[in-house]
Amino acid sequence: MKLTNRLRQVPMPKLDVEERIRSFKEVALGYTEEQAIAEAERCLQCKVPRCVEGCPVGVDIPAFIRFIREGKFDEAVEKIKEKNALPAICGRVCPQENQCMGKCILGLKGDPINIGGLERFVADYERKKGFSRPEIKPSTGKSVAVVGSGPAGLTAAAELAKMGHSVTIFEALHAPGGVLMYGIPEFRMPKDIVLSEVNYVKSLGVKIVKDVIIGRVVTLKELFEMGFDAVLLGTGAGLPKFLGIPGENLCGIYSANEFLIRVNLMKAYAFPKYDTPIKVKGRTAVIGGGNVAMDAARSALRLGSDVTVIYRRTEAEMPARREEVLNAKEEGVNFTFLAAPTRFLGDEEGWVRQVECVRMELGEVDDTGRRRPIPIAGSEFHSDFETVVVAIGQRANPIAVLNDPRIKLTRHGTIVVNPETYQTTMEGVYAAGDIVTGNATVISAMGGGKKAAKAIHAFLTGENPKKGR
Ligand code: FAD
Ligand code: SF4
């Protein structure tokens, strides 16, 4: 292969910008077989592959890429699924540039291998062909309740079912999938793909009970009384943070969670088929610089608004995936950097009309590793907006623990677990995902779910001498 071909990624086909901004169709279209093989051929098959170190669940990346190169797609799927139960999801939303792709040796001189694109290719190939059922161990006679059906809960449930345990997931919402279903929009994470991954987990024998809030409708104590031998809490970080500035309760100001739940889960974009109300008037300000802010901004744009993202640092410090910032720019989202809202101003009917911001400058590096934004005194300015979406982060979801003081929390509201066993301060109750780490990533939630499943298995079968804490 010519050096220039080796250094340049095979571009991922994308939907045309004009079509993107008029619909919620998926933006990245995925590689064809020929494109996937061509991209796989660039891989150097390193003897000590750095990409594997960068993958939180340790997928054998060179091996699955080698199978793609040889056109052995079934084997490639099998290789990925040894470590990752939800590759169609990870291939689409993992921040690969900071993980496996960030470590790929080709990235030093040119483009790293598009590992996520290749993972997605094989996962989509498998979905079209039909999932094959992995080996399921004989029944252990033990049963586990999993609370929450996000990536942590789904992964743990799949692992536990494969080990021979009977698993029931309890989900508060009317659709399983967690943030994948209610937060990340259709144009980045099509819901039929989430559902097919959920169906794969169900095909392993996992039962899913929807519309049940554990801690309210059924308590943890009652789960044990119902006969469950262990419980995994995977309740996520769904509690929105607010700015705490004057005017934040004006009409037309949404938390990103509420906004995205209305758009995605309640399908407000498919009006009049779904008549979920969402008022996105002329100009929308989205406050924040992460993936959630990009998702909210690009959703508001598709609902017909003129959108500006307001972020208190510069573009270089934005935590959102680069690819999504680029997509947002291509689609026409505006950005105001180095500015932070100080108050919202409304009209006599209580609707937001203006956002007052102060200009910022960057100071010393803070404990997040980024330069701290510092307000510039007297630099306040006003801009007209009729809708505001606050996307400055989420906190741990507190509902599951309301009725059980035996579960200890950190001062951030996340659940305290033993880092080795994932057991909480209550015997037989484990926790994983964002409810333990705080707002993180799909793959880290899956990694936690997988480790917790192993620990629960050890607890149930007596294989683990250190039972919990
Ligand atoms: P969640 O996905 O939050 O799932 C928790 C589930 O538990 C929910 O379904 C909830 O309804 C349910 N639940 C909560 N309490 C109860 C209860 N008491 N009883 C029953 N059920 C309950 N990560 C990435 O890697 N890449 C991205 O591009 C990305 N984009 C994101 C965009 C948005 C808009 C958001 C909000 C997050 C994004 N993330 C992204 C983060 C990622 O989605 C989360 O880190 C991940 O979903 C956490 O998984 P989880 O299983 O811990 O929790
Ligand atoms: Fe291939 Fe890059 Fe991994 Fe090396 S580091 S094995 S080139 S993907």
Side-chain angles (χ1 to χ4, degrees):
M1 180 183 280
K2 273 197 204 153
L3 183 64
T4 43
N5 291 353
R6 175 82 75 187
L7 291 179
R8 290 291 152 245
Q9 232 172 56
V10 174
M12 169 66 72
K14 286 206 266 184
L15 202 65
D16 180 64
V17 174
E18 284 309 310
E19 200 178 345
R20 279 195 230 166
I21 58 176
R22 281 187 272 110
S23 77
F24 274 70
K25 284 187 195 156
E26 188 173 20
V27 169
L29 299 175
Y31 283 141
T32 61
E33 275 189 28
E34 295 69 36
Q35 289 167 331
I37 292 172
E39 181 62 7
E41 279 173 347
R42 296 173 59 230
C43 177
L44 299 171
Q45 294 291 311
C46 306
K47 288 268 175 310
V48 186
R50 290 164 29 125
C51 51
V52 180
E53 284 167 35
C55 172
V57 291
V59 169
D60 188 345
I61 295 166
F64 99 75
I65 292 183
R66 193 167 55 246
F67 282 131
I68 297 181
R69 191 146 93 178
E70 294 164 0
K72 296 179 180 163
F73 305 138
D74 292 306
E75 287 84 345
V77 175
E78 226 170 276
K79 188 45 79 184
I80 297 175
K81 285 217 161 161
E82 281 173 8
K83 295 285 168 79
N84 180 350
L86 309 171
I89 290 167
C90 291
R92 285 174 165 80
V93 301
C94 267
Q96 286 107 3
E97 64 275 22
N98 303 328
Q99 298 176 340
C100 52
M101 284 169 67
K103 298 257 176 173
C104 173
I105 196 86
L106 284 172
L108 295 176
K109 288 263 163 69
D111 299 336
I113 300 288
N114 188 348
I115 299 169
L118 292 178
E119 189 172 6
R120 167 196 164 138
F121 166 77
V122 280
D124 288 354
Y125 160 85
E126 186 197 27
R127 199 179 56 259
K128 281 180 209 139
K129 193 174 141 268
F131 292 119
S132 52
R133 204 161 183 261
E135 188 203 337
I136 295 182
K137 294 268 186 305
S139 169
T140 59
K142 302 284 182 188
S143 62
V144 183
V146 172
V147 184
S149 63
L154 288 173
T155 306
E159 292 299 312
L160 288 161
K162 284 193 267 177
M163 291 169 189
H165 305 296
S166 158
V167 186
T168 305
I169 298 180
F170 293 92
E171 168 54 51
L173 297 173
H174 65 264
V179 168
L180 305 172
M181 189 55 100
Y182 78 73
I184 306 180
E186 187 78 24
F187 53 81
R188 219 153 61 79
M189 188 67 261
K191 303 309 157 211
D192 58 343
I193 291 174
V194 181
L195 282 178
S196 76
E197 300 279 326
V198 168
N199 286 338
Y200 165 74
V201 175
K202 284 209 261 186
S203 77
L204 306 175
V206 172
K207 292 187 240 14
I208 302 186
V209 183
K210 294 175 274 186
D211 298 311
V212 177
I213 301 178
I214 301 298
R216 281 278 163 84
V217 180
V218 180
T219 64
L220 284 180
K221 185 166 164 274
E222 283 166 346
L223 283 177
F224 286 101
E225 287 165 4
M226 284 158 73
F228 289 104
D229 300 291
V231 175
L232 174 83
L233 302 174
T235 49
L239 189 70
K241 284 187 195 167
F242 287 97
L243 291 153
I245 58 174
E248 206 167 10
N249 57 356
L250 285 165
C251 302
I253 303 183
Y254 298 87
S255 73
N257 274 47
E258 182 189 344
F259 184 76
L260 289 170
I261 284 178
R262 282 179 190 241
V263 175
N264 297 315
L265 191 68
M266 316 296 287
K267 301 208 185 301
Y269 67 85
F271 181 84
K273 194 171 167 207
Y274 293 83
D275 64 354
T276 306
I278 192 144
K279 286 212 163 60
V280 178
K281 297 188 185 161
R283 283 155 299 191
T284 299
V286 175
I287 320 297
N291 286 318
V292 183
M294 291 309 103
D295 285 345
R298 296 172 66 203
S299 297
L301 186 102
R302 282 161 172 77
L303 293 170
S305 193
D306 176 13
V307 183
T308 302
V309 169
I310 300 176
Y311 180 54
R312 59 195 186 140
R313 293 181 164 99
T314 72
E315 184 171 348
E317 287 85 24
M318 282 177 78
R321 298 187 61 195
R322 300 316 307 156
E323 187 188 336
E324 303 310 338
V325 178
L326 183 75
N327 281 335
K329 283 184 169 178
E330 280 176 4
E331 289 162 12
V333 171
N334 310 299
F335 287 82
T336 299
F337 294 111
L338 290 169
T342 43
R343 62 178 169 142
F344 298 109
L345 304 161
D347 61 20
E348 55 291 345
E349 284 173 12
W351 286 89
V352 67
R353 284 287 168 257
Q354 281 197 326
V355 181
E356 180 187 89
C357 288
V358 63
R359 303 243 180 244
M360 312 292 273
E361 59 189 352
L362 294 183
E364 296 300 310
V365 172
D366 65 15
D367 50 14
T368 68
R370 294 170 300 170
R371 291 176 64 195
R372 186 190 300 276
I374 303 167
I376 303 172
S379 65
E380 285 78 4
F381 64 99
H382 295 84
S383 313
D384 295 339
F385 290 107
E386 291 77 31
T387 306
V388 175
V389 183
V390 180
I392 57 165
Q394 291 88 231
R395 285 186 211 285
N397 205 326
I399 300 170
V401 290
L402 279 182
N403 291 329
D404 216 310
R406 286 172 291 178
I407 307 280
K408 283 219 177 85
L409 303 182
T410 66
R411 67 191 170 89
H412 303 293
T414 52
I415 295 180
V416 173
V417 294
N418 177 317
E420 272 177 56
T421 64
Y422 282 74
Q423 187 162 295
T424 66
T425 43
M426 182 173 168
E427 171 104 357
V429 179
Y430 293 73
D434 280 9
I435 190 65
V436 172
T437 56
N439 194 15
T441 59
V442 170
I443 193 74
S444 70
M446 288 176 58
K450 195 164 182 170
K451 287 186 195 139
K454 263 195 196 151
I456 293 173
H457 176 70
F459 168 73
L460 294 176
T461 55
E463 282 171 21
N464 187 359
K466 298 184 231 160
K467 279 213 240 154
R469 299 179 65 81

